[in-house]
Amino acid sequence: MAAITPPRQVKLDRECELRIEVGENSPLRLRLLNGNAEIFGTEIPPEIWLNFPPRLKFAIFTWHGATIEMDGGSDLSDYVADETPMISYVNVHAILEARRNRAKASASNNAESSQGPRVIVVGPTDSGKSTLSRMLLSWAAKQGWKPTFVDLDIGQGSITLPGCTAATPIEMPIDPVEGIPLEMPLVYFYGHTTPSANVDLYKLVVKELAQTLEKQFSGNAESRAAGMVINTMGWIEGVGYELLLHAIHAFNADVVLVLGQEKLCSMLKDVLKSKPKVDVVKLQKSGGVVSRPPKYRQKSRGYRIREYFYGLANDLSPHSNIANFNDLSVYRIGGGPQAPRSALPIGAEPAADPTRVVTVNISQDLLHLVLAVSYAKDPEEIISSNVAGFIYITDVDIQRRKITYLAPSAGELPSRVLILGTLAWLET
Ligand code: ATP
């Protein structure tokens, strides 16, 4: 445990922010004593003590000045910054707001003019993409819109588990601690934490998500006008760049916000100049963004999986269930041979088809893997189906042909079709 230090007050001048890294070992309590302040676009209520778990990194920003009282351990790190890119971020919000109003006012039978902004946030790793997405969504929600948040960052995942592409409407400013509510998001399972594991499959899950949202938007003028904010991953070179372009096209994005990289911005401007309706805007990266080394990222993936089953504050009770091997059908995507050797020209090796659905025999290899529960009724539907949730394999008894797994709740799984990738977790 870190040593206890007495509560202290921090006075923030207008347009300043208090940047905080909660310690490894002790949580933080803080409250707003006077003035107004927000955490990544969500206002802090006055006088109420708020609790922040260990390791959280965030900033409290004030437009007009505020005093904060903090009560945390000695391993807390914090400082005040008076230079932030917040004015440029809120200016972007104002432009998006005008476009939403224009979309709402237009006749809803005109598909183009009734479409609100489709914003995609791109940039290298640790440039503040998720944070900017969050701010834009929270500011829009505060003004009564229900924008759709799309997360294509399979490495971290702020809507659901890593290894997935997902979308959810944001109806209220995002809670600074709880994050995005996990109520019924639309989730497609990719199964790996890097797109290079299966680039074709990554493209497919991005496309499926985009198409489903497009259908939903066509019947919902309100969410159509509110538009979407799409968060992407930090891989921007080579294939990563190609995947960004693929996402921009798949979602028909019309605002591309580029954080902290001149080169990427000019490349995108160049390649998108044939599309006059797409605005490419360069934005400054905040000096407060904290870099997270690969080890840290790996650890936070584990915390995220734990949170799915046990809740952020250990407030959920997952259920351990036992099933017979025969009750479940497990599949993986990719890796199966495309054509039998006999059907190929002499000397040619059969190539692995990256999007082929292959049956998996249940074995010890499944131990400690996280599997997705698909809504697919049969294997052909797996790639185009979204997933209901996840289970975690805790035991495989080959002799008795029984598998033990952790699920968020007791009872039957919504489907017996399970998808396996390389998403693993060692419960600690
Ligand atoms: P990734 O490479 O995973 O895509 P990213 O570009 O989305 O990362 P963020 O997740 O937005 O980056 O930011 C990285 C970390 O920095 C997060 O923990 C975030 O909470 C923190 N952070 C962002 N902005 C600030 C700030 N102004 N002050 C303090 N911490 C911040």
Side-chain angles (χ1 to χ4, degrees):
M1 276 306 271
I4 295 176
T5 51
R8 66 193 156 94
Q9 293 185 5
V10 180
K11 196 172 168 317
L12 290 173
D13 291 334
R14 55 179 297 152
E15 288 166 29
C16 286
E17 74 182 14
L18 173 62
R19 295 174 178 162
I20 297 176
E21 285 187 46
V22 186
E24 235 347 271
N25 302 311
S26 44
L28 163 73
R29 280 190 336 143
L30 67 75
R31 62 177 171 161
L32 174 68
L33 286 182
N34 59 54
N36 294 296
E38 56 182 53
I39 299 177
F40 298 153
T42 301
E43 272 191 72
I44 315 184
E47 290 294 337
I48 298 170
W49 282 104
L50 303 172
N51 296 301
F52 297 84
R55 297 178 297 273
L56 199 71
K57 303 168 201 326
F58 64 101
I60 300 178
F61 178 84
T62 178
W63 292 104
H64 305 291
T67 307
I68 309 289
E69 187 171 19
M70 291 203 289
D71 181 10
S74 57
D75 56 351
L76 174 76
S77 134
D78 64 277
Y79 68 98
V80 174
D82 58 4
E83 263 181 41
T84 77
M86 291 294 278
I87 301 244
S88 60
Y89 293 177
V90 86
N91 283 341
V92 169
H93 163 70
I95 292 166
L96 301 178
E97 198 60 15
R99 291 197 185 180
R100 290 186 183 109
N101 282 321
R102 226 181 304 144
K104 192 176 174 187
S106 104
S108 60
N109 57 2
N110 182 331
E112 202 178 319
S113 63
S114 65
Q115 174 60 61
R118 295 185 171 194
V119 185
I120 186 162
V121 185
V122 305
T125 15
D126 294 324
S127 54
K129 298 178 295 298
S130 317
T131 306
L132 176 60
S133 305
R134 193 180 258 237
M135 282 182 213
L136 295 174
L137 289 160
S138 288
W139 286 330
K142 186 179 166 193
Q143 286 179 278
W145 301 100
K146 293 180 185 163
T148 300
F149 177 36
V150 178
D151 198 358
L152 305 181
D153 186 357
I154 50 171
Q156 296 297 306
S158 32
I159 298 181
T160 183
L161 295 194
C164 300
T165 59
T168 189
I170 301 296
E171 305 195 342
M172 296 217 298
I174 298 165
D175 186 288
V177 178
E178 304 274 325
I180 287 148
L182 282 175
E183 291 152 23
M184 298 297 285
L186 178 63
V187 180
Y188 286 86
F189 188 63
Y190 166 68
H192 315 278
T193 53
T194 153
S196 56
N198 190 339
V199 172
D200 291 310
L201 178 61
Y202 180 79
K203 282 188 180 169
L204 271 183
V205 291
V206 167
K207 208 171 93 199
E208 290 296 340
L209 179 63
Q211 285 173 345
T212 307
L213 286 177
E214 199 68 68
K215 271 185 226 137
Q216 290 184 354
F217 276 158
S218 67
N220 186 336
E222 193 187 4
S223 45
R224 211 177 146 70
M228 39 180 149
V229 177
I230 306 159
N231 180 36
T232 59
M233 57 193 169
W235 187 23
I236 54 166
E237 307 278 341
V239 179
Y241 176 69
E242 253 177 54
L243 292 177
L244 280 185
L245 288 180
H246 174 260
I248 292 170
H249 295 311
F251 286 92
N252 259 321
D254 56 4
V255 180
V256 183
L257 301 179
V258 189
L259 272 173
Q261 232 227 30
E262 299 268 354
K263 183 178 157 204
L264 178 63
C265 185
S266 87
M267 280 165 76
L268 287 172
K269 274 196 170 145
D270 206 38
V271 71
L272 294 169
K273 67 173 179 263
S274 57
K275 296 186 173 242
K277 289 207 170 121
V278 181
D279 294 316
V280 181
V281 182
K282 190 179 76 194
L283 288 171
Q284 200 195 327
K285 166 185 166 176
S286 165
V289 178
V290 186
S291 335
R292 294 156 302 168
K295 259 228 163 95
Y296 179 95
R297 285 168 184 275
Q298 201 183 345
K299 254 191 170 172
S300 45
R301 284 198 274 272
Y303 294 134
R304 189 76 183 142
I305 297 173
R306 181 167 215 297
E307 185 189 335
Y308 175 81
F309 290 104
Y310 290 95
L312 193 62
N314 262 333
D315 47 344
L316 301 180
S317 321
H319 226 266
S320 185
N321 302 277
I322 298 180
N324 294 314
F325 282 11
N326 293 343
D327 295 338
L328 303 173
S329 308
V330 184
Y331 300 93
R332 76 183 147 80
I333 306 165
Q338 196 161 30
R341 211 174 276 271
S342 58
L344 294 170
I346 295 167
E349 280 298 310
D353 178 354
T355 57
R356 186 182 147 128
V357 175
V358 184
T359 308
V360 174
N361 292 324
I362 298 180
S363 72
Q364 288 291 346
D365 293 348
L366 264 63
L367 197 61
H368 300 143
L369 287 188
V370 176
L371 271 54
V373 182
S374 176
Y375 278 121
K377 305 236 162 23
D378 58 63
E380 286 80 65
E381 287 179 1
I382 285 184
I383 291 186
S384 58
S385 298
N386 55 322
V387 302
F390 307 90
I391 61 168
Y392 173 62
I393 309 295
T394 53
D395 188 46
V396 181
D397 186 336
I398 302 286
Q399 254 163 16
R400 290 169 54 231
R401 294 181 57 79
K402 295 221 182 266
I403 189 161
T404 311
Y405 62 87
L406 204 62
S409 55
E412 287 257 312
L413 290 174
S415 135
R416 51 175 285 160
V417 176
L418 304 177
I419 327 172
L420 159 157
T422 50
L423 198 63
W425 175 48
L426 261 190
E427 195 176 356
T428 45

